[in-house]
């Protein structure tokens, strides 16, 4: 059963956010986005990234796939709000949707999860 609120404690969330913005964290997310791009080979369509948190992976992916719509999802509306504030691209959006509810977003070519 998906949780209805943030799965991490505030301290865990802050620690992860600090690592994500470090050179090492950004490098990991950039490499993961490049790997997914190469593996999927999509030129058009839609990808959903589940458990997105504050949006770093979806943002990295959308920058590498400008003609693919990327939808980052998380179960916590507050985290989705922060993702929307931090990341903006024409092919990127964020939705507060639990993983078992992604079908409500319509048809997609792929669903990915980083962690």
């Amino acid at each position: 059963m998906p949780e209805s609120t943030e799965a991490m404690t505030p301290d865990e969330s802050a620690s992860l956010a600090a690592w994500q913005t470090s050179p090492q964290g950004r490098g990991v997310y950039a490499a993961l986005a490049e790997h997914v791009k190469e593996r999927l080979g999509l030129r058009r369509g839609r990808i959903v990234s589940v458990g997105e948190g504050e949006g770093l992976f979806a943002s990295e992916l959308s920058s590498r796939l400008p003609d693919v719509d990327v939808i980052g999802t998380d179960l916590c509306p507050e985290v989705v709000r922060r993702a929307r504030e931090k990341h903006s691209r024409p092919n990127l959006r964020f939705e507060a949707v639990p993983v078992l509810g992604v079908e409500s977003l319509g048809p997609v070519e792929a669903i990915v999860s980083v962690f």
Side-chain angles (χ1 to χ4, degrees):
M1 180 75 162
E3 296 182 38
S4 60
T5 61
E6 176 61 55
M8 286 192 268
T9 67
D11 287 343
E12 291 168 335
S13 184
S15 179
L16 177 60
W19 176 79
Q20 287 174 329
T21 59
S22 74
Q24 297 85 3
R26 291 200 69 84
V28 166
Y29 279 84
L32 287 168
E34 188 63 29
H35 175 75
V36 168
K37 172 191 165 192
E38 294 300 318
R39 289 285 290 175
L40 292 177
L42 290 178
R43 301 252 188 245
R44 302 223 183 276
R46 298 172 71 207
I47 296 174
V48 170
S49 176
V50 298
E52 185 58 41
E54 293 188 11
L56 184 55
F57 177 70
S59 180
E60 290 284 344
L61 194 56
S62 69
S63 73
R64 286 165 173 73
L65 297 167
D67 295 322
V68 174
D69 290 326
V70 178
I71 306 166
T73 67
D74 200 274
L75 58 91
C76 179
E78 175 60 23
V79 172
V80 169
R81 183 191 62 74
R82 292 194 304 256
R84 288 174 179 153
E85 288 176 355
K86 290 181 176 187
H87 308 283
S88 176
R89 286 196 166 74
N91 65 326
L92 176 63
R93 78 177 211 247
F94 296 97
E95 300 292 337
V97 177
V99 68
L100 295 179
V102 296
E103 71 277 357
S104 68
L105 300 172
V108 298
E109 279 60 49
I111 298 172
V112 297
S113 178
V114 174
F115 295 109

